[in-house]
Amino acid sequence: QVQLVESGGGLVQAGESLRLSCTASGTILRVREMGWHRQVPGQSREPVALISGDGTTNYAHSVKGRFAISRDNAKTAVYLQMNNLKPEDTATYYCTIYLDERRASMSIFGTRYWTEGTLVTVSS
């Protein structure tokens, strides 16, 4: 099994910055993708920023130019630097990892894990 630990989040004012961190541990064979999604109550969870195994990044249109995703392969960690935050960024942010892992002497391909989420609140 793989464990994901997320940190960051909190309450900030519009225009301020926050940094989310997420670290994975376990018997990981290959990371296919890491990233961040967010969800507002009553709405579907949506992808915010993703980084593939080869380092390709993708961002939601609403955060382009303000958010930056990065990773540390040695730590199997992913970060989300959020700048110039807006009230509409208020949501619960979830870290996710899509990977191949070793479990019970078997190689398991294509498993996705999620954190429980961290709340980001941006006041106007």
Side-chain angles (χ1 to χ4, degrees):
Q1 286 281 10
V2 171
Q3 293 77 42
L4 281 179
V5 177
E6 177 179 36
S7 63
L11 172 63
V12 297
Q13 292 188 335
E16 295 184 340
S17 298
L18 274 177
R19 186 175 188 245
L20 305 181
S21 301
C22 179
T23 302
S25 62
T27 311
I28 298 169
L29 298 177
R30 180 168 72 115
V31 174
R32 294 171 179 250
E33 177 193 273
M34 296 185 80
W36 300 89
H37 292 228
R38 69 186 180 188
Q39 188 171 22
V40 174
Q43 298 183 21
S44 301
R45 190 176 298 185
E46 61 175 8
V48 174
L50 305 172
I51 184 165
S52 69
D54 65 2
T56 302
T57 58
N58 277 294
Y59 296 93
H61 178 74
S62 60
V63 307
K64 277 185 180 178
R66 300 187 298 120
F67 289 13
I69 189 170
S70 61
R71 67 180 187 185
D72 182 332
N73 291 333
K75 297 179 181 178
T76 318
V78 64
Y79 309 97
L80 185 66
Q81 179 66 41
M82 304 183 290
N83 299 324
N84 190 23
L85 282 160
K86 302 177 180 181
E88 51 264 41
D89 295 318
T90 295
T92 298
Y93 285 72
Y94 299 88
C95 172
T96 182
I97 184 169
Y98 184 55
L99 49 71
D100 301 335
E101 63 178 315
R102 191 78 175 165
R103 201 192 308 163
S105 301
M106 291 182 62
S107 296
I108 309 298
F109 302 106
T111 304
R112 184 173 290 279
Y113 290 91
W114 296 88
T115 59
E116 293 186 352
T118 186
L119 180 61
V120 172
T121 303
V122 185
S123 63
S124 57

